[in-house]
Amino acid sequence: MSDILSRFPGYETARPLAELSSLDPAAFERDYVRRNRPVVVRGGAARWPCCEAWTLEGLRERLAGVEDLFAESQGLLEQRMREYAGSTVGAERDALREARPRGSLAHARVFLERIERGERLVAYAVPLQTPGLERMCADLGQLPFAPALSSREARFYRPRLFLYRGGYTDWHFHYADETCTVQARGTKEVLLLPPDPRTFATLWPIFRHQGSWEADPAAFRGLSPLKVRLQPGDVLYIPVFWWHAVEPVDDEIGATLALPFASSPEIQFDLRFAAARWTLQQAWSRPAERRWIPWMLLGGLWSAVRHPRGGPWRG
Ligand SMILES: [Fe+2]
């Protein structure tokens, strides 16, 4: 059982996430992506070579040429991750990247040896474009129900790998892009909460300063999460803005892939989502992202005109 997640109020009564054993592209787009609804496709990637080939020996072979596993990553996670905490939003997360291993300590072989010895560490958000990861990428396949993965390039996030033993990622949402999470190795549990005003108003002020494990459980009363356990080969679709927290439930060496694709502007920039308004504020405060602001406002306007009472994602 998960250690932190299972202490979250509502864990015991959490409803299971909708799950399917197969899904066609039209239904995925119509019933889940366009409705901003999560789903798990059991065994959706079970035939990908990674699910068979990433044994310990297989990982050793494939990672042997990765001289800097952390060069473009979010860093080496040695304790629970508080995504939004810090003097500015995400300052703790940014500090993690600054403190990432360098030089010989950054070699993937060193990281793998450490987790093989039993250390509980996470190579956090390693882009698949990282030099040397080509052999790992050759073990990935296609998701027949998600052609958008190859045709709708994500706006902000990159396809990325999480290689880990243990670890815990606290509640956060992806402020842009849709994500298909493929579990390649190990078993993880995920709790999800919807992007409704109540959830945002409850979680945001807490997680700017604290992890969920540090907060008074009473603060979360009234929230009803969805729960799903991911096994190798399962694919979890996490819609933009949905809150989620993730924890392995085993002590295995695990591997997870996060594969993003662009959201529909109608959803991404619908300023009736608190998270979309927050994204707009963030874009204003970060010069590199200001170029998106006209698109955000246009998207918000388009969404309001097209769905004056909210789109199907708000039902
Ligand atoms: Fe996430």
Side-chain angles (χ1 to χ4, degrees):
M1 182 188 269
S2 51
D3 179 28
I4 311 290
L5 276 191
S6 59
R7 286 189 257 155
F8 190 78
Y11 175 89
E12 291 297 338
T13 55
R15 288 166 296 143
L17 178 64
E19 63 177 78
L20 301 168
S21 56
S22 66
L23 184 58
D24 69 64
F28 178 55
E29 184 73 19
R30 181 189 64 230
D31 298 339
Y32 298 98
V33 179
R34 290 278 168 167
R35 301 197 76 181
N36 191 245
R37 288 191 177 167
V39 68
V40 61
V41 182
R42 294 289 180 202
R47 293 185 182 174
W48 288 21
C50 59
C51 295
E52 288 281 320
W54 290 3
T55 59
L56 279 183
E57 190 55 41
L59 286 174
R60 283 186 210 117
E61 283 173 21
R62 285 163 175 75
L63 291 169
V66 185
E67 292 182 6
D68 190 346
L69 184 63
F70 301 95
E72 298 289 323
S73 79
Q74 196 59 57
L76 174 67
L77 191 59
E78 297 180 81
Q79 52 197 352
R80 299 159 185 170
M81 168 68 106
R82 302 188 293 194
E83 284 270 347
Y84 299 129
S87 54
T88 57
V89 176
E92 279 196 8
R93 191 186 52 208
D94 295 342
L96 182 74
R97 172 160 168 74
E98 284 310 304
R100 69 191 184 277
R102 316 276 170 116
S104 60
L105 295 177
H107 200 294
R109 185 183 56 242
V110 174
F111 173 76
L112 193 57
E113 284 169 0
R114 291 182 69 181
I115 56 176
E116 281 193 61
R117 282 199 302 266
E119 288 190 70
R120 296 170 74 82
L121 304 168
V122 185
Y124 201 83
V126 178
L128 297 185
Q129 300 97 321
T130 299
L133 271 190
E134 298 82 5
R135 286 198 62 197
M136 300 279 279
C137 294
D139 294 326
L140 311 186
Q142 304 288 324
L143 295 177
F145 61 87
L149 276 171
S150 52
S151 63
R152 290 191 346 223
E153 191 175 338
R155 292 187 179 87
F156 293 95
Y157 292 101
R158 291 186 282 180
R160 53 207 188 277
L161 167 73
F162 298 78
L163 194 60
Y164 63 88
R165 175 174 228 145
Y168 169 75
T169 301
D170 208 13
W171 289 95
H172 66 286
F173 59 87
H174 300 161
Y175 57 86
D177 298 322
E178 313 295 332
T179 306
C180 284
T181 295
V182 175
Q183 187 65 9
R185 235 193 103 96
T187 303
K188 268 184 170 174
E189 207 157 59
V190 184
L191 287 183
L192 298 110
L193 281 164
D196 58 29
R198 178 183 187 171
T199 304
F200 192 93
T202 303
L203 298 188
W204 184 251
I206 296 172
F207 295 150
R208 282 289 293 111
H209 307 287
Q210 290 178 294
S212 62
W213 63 91
E214 302 164 305
D216 180 354
F220 305 112
R221 197 171 291 142
L223 301 182
S224 311
L226 297 168
K227 181 164 58 177
V228 64
R229 185 169 282 209
L230 300 179
Q231 309 275 3
D234 290 343
V235 183
L236 169 64
Y237 163 59
I238 305 176
V240 67
F241 302 148
W242 272 73
W243 291 86
H244 52 286
V246 187
E247 187 173 20
V249 294
D250 55 23
D251 192 35
E252 300 293 314
I253 290 176
T256 306
L257 298 144
L259 308 174
F261 62 94
S263 293
S264 156
E266 281 173 59
I267 297 176
Q268 171 81 74
F269 302 133
D270 185 341
L271 296 174
R272 289 167 289 193
F273 282 116
R277 295 194 295 276
W278 174 79
T279 306
L280 189 64
Q281 283 176 8
Q282 285 296 295
W284 178 251
S285 66
R286 297 182 184 195
E289 293 179 16
R290 280 191 191 159
R291 66 197 165 100
W292 291 105
I293 290 177
W295 294 106
M296 291 173 163
L297 294 173
L298 268 177
L301 188 63
W302 169 246
S303 188
V305 168
R306 187 161 169 181
H307 303 288
R309 283 189 277 175
W313 51 91
R314 302 180 74 83

